[in-house]
Amino acid sequence: MATRRNFLTGGAAFMAAGLATGLSPLARAWAGAALDLGGGASVQTLHDGNLVLPGSFVYGDSPEEQAKAIIARYGLNPNQLEPDCNVTLYRDGTNTVIFDVGSGPDFMSTAGKLPEALDQLGLAAEDVTHVIFTHGHPDHLWGLLDDFDEPFFANAQHMMGQAEFDYWTDENTLSTIGQARQTFAAGAKRRLDMIADRMSFFRDGEEIVPGVAARATFGHTPGHMSYEIRKGSESVMVLGDCIANHHLAFEQPGWHSGSDQDGDLGAKTRVALLDQLAQEQMRFIGFHLPHPGFGRAERKDGAYRFVAEA
C-alpha cells in the first residue's frame, strides 16, 4: 500500500538513480519521474496506490498454465496481482492537465492516494485546468468527486471521448455489461451524470489541449482513448489500460486479456500499438505498468518486452 511515509522514504533511492534515462528525479519522494519535454513543459506520474486483483482477471481465457508461468518469471504471484496505478500530470506553463483521477476512497483501500501525491507535490486540486479521461473503469474515474459529491478538480475542464461517455451513461449498459462489472457501470453512470454539464467531448485524432492529441485505442472499453503528447521533438504517449501490464501484454499481446471488455478488439489494438511503439521507440506511460510507469517497448523473440525508464 502506498502511503505518504512510503513516498518520503523512497525518495532518496530514486534521487540516487540520477538522470541516466533522461527522466529527472524531480518530486520522486511523492510519486514517480518527471520527463522534461523542453519549452517549460513536463510530464510526471503520481502514484494512486495499487490494486489487488485475482490472476484470472488478468489472464482471462488465455492458456492458464502458460500465463501463470510467464507471470511467475517476473517474480509475481500469478494467483494475486497488485498492479500500480500511475496517474499522469502534464504541465506546459499554461495548462495543468491530469489524465484520469484515480480510484477515490470507494473502490479499494490500497488505492485512491492521488490527493496525497498532489499534497506532496504542493499542487492544489484547484490548480488543475483540465481533467482528461482514458476510460470509465473505477480505478480511473471514481476519484472524480469529493466527499460532497462535487468535482474534486473544481476549476478544471473535464474531457472524455464521446463514445466512452455515451457507453457509460447509457441506461442499457448496466444490463448488458455482465454481472462481474455491474458495479463498474453503476458507479460510472452516477459520477458522469453528476458532471455531465461540465464535460466536453472529442473524437479520435483531435488535438484537445495544445500539444495533446487523442488516439482511439478501443477494446479495453468501447471508447478507450490514449493520448499523444508532443512538444518540439519530444513525445510521450499516455496509454491508460490498452497495454495493461508488463508481462502478458508484451510477451503475448495477441492473447485475450481478462480485463478487456472486448477481448478480440483489445488484442488487435495492443498488437498494432506495440508494433508502432517499438518501431518509433516512443516513450509511453502505462497506468498499471510498474511505478512510475515510464518505458519503451522493444521487440524480443517475435514479441515484445517492456523496458522501464525510471
Side-chain angles (χ1 to χ4, degrees), residues 128-132 153 155-159 198-200 208:
V128 173
T129 60
H130 298 79
V131 173
I132 303 175
F153 296 101
N155 297 333
Q157 180 179 0
H158 290 64
M159 310 177 77
R198 63 168 66 203
M199 185 76 80
S200 61
I208 54 177

Side-chain angles (χ1 to χ4, degrees), residues 22-169:
L23 297 168
S24 80
L26 296 174
R28 292 188 183 206
W30 54 263
L35 172 61
D36 183 3
L37 298 177
S42 67
V43 179
Q44 298 172 268
T45 56
L46 298 85
H47 203 213
D48 194 50
N50 66 273
L51 304 183
V52 179
L53 302 172
S56 58
F57 187 79
V58 176
Y59 52 76
D61 63 1
S62 299
E64 182 174 348
E65 293 308 313
Q66 293 180 54
K68 286 184 173 182
I70 291 171
I71 293 170
R73 281 199 281 102
Y74 287 77
L76 303 173
N77 177 0
N79 297 312
Q80 179 174 291
L81 295 166
E82 300 182 5
D84 290 314
C85 299
N86 303 302
V87 173
T88 298
L89 171 68
Y90 171 60
R91 292 186 281 187
D92 64 6
T94 301
N95 300 300
T96 298
V97 183
I98 288 279
F99 294 87
D100 294 329
V101 293
S103 295
D106 298 328
F107 187 50
M108 290 188 180
S109 62
T110 53
K113 310 305 177 185
L114 180 58
E116 294 180 37
L118 290 168
D119 183 52
Q120 287 296 317
L121 182 59
L123 183 67
E126 291 77 13
D127 297 332
V128 173
T129 60
H130 298 79
V131 173
I132 303 175
F133 296 98
T134 61
H135 64 295
H137 281 166
D139 49 328
H140 299 254
L141 178 69
W142 283 18
L144 177 63
L145 304 176
D146 63 18
D147 292 340
F148 301 96
D149 278 346
E150 296 291 336
F152 181 75
F153 296 101
N155 297 333
Q157 180 179 0
H158 290 64
M159 310 177 77
M160 179 178 274
Q162 183 74 63
E164 186 74 359
F165 183 87
D166 290 348
Y167 174 75
W168 292 109
T169 55

Side-chain angles (χ1 to χ4, degrees), residues 233-253:
S233 62
E234 295 288 343
S235 64
V236 62
M237 186 174 290
V238 180
L239 296 176
D241 281 3
C242 59
I243 300 175
N245 60 67
H246 63 297
H247 35 80
L248 293 181
F250 285 80
E251 292 202 23
Q252 295 290 345

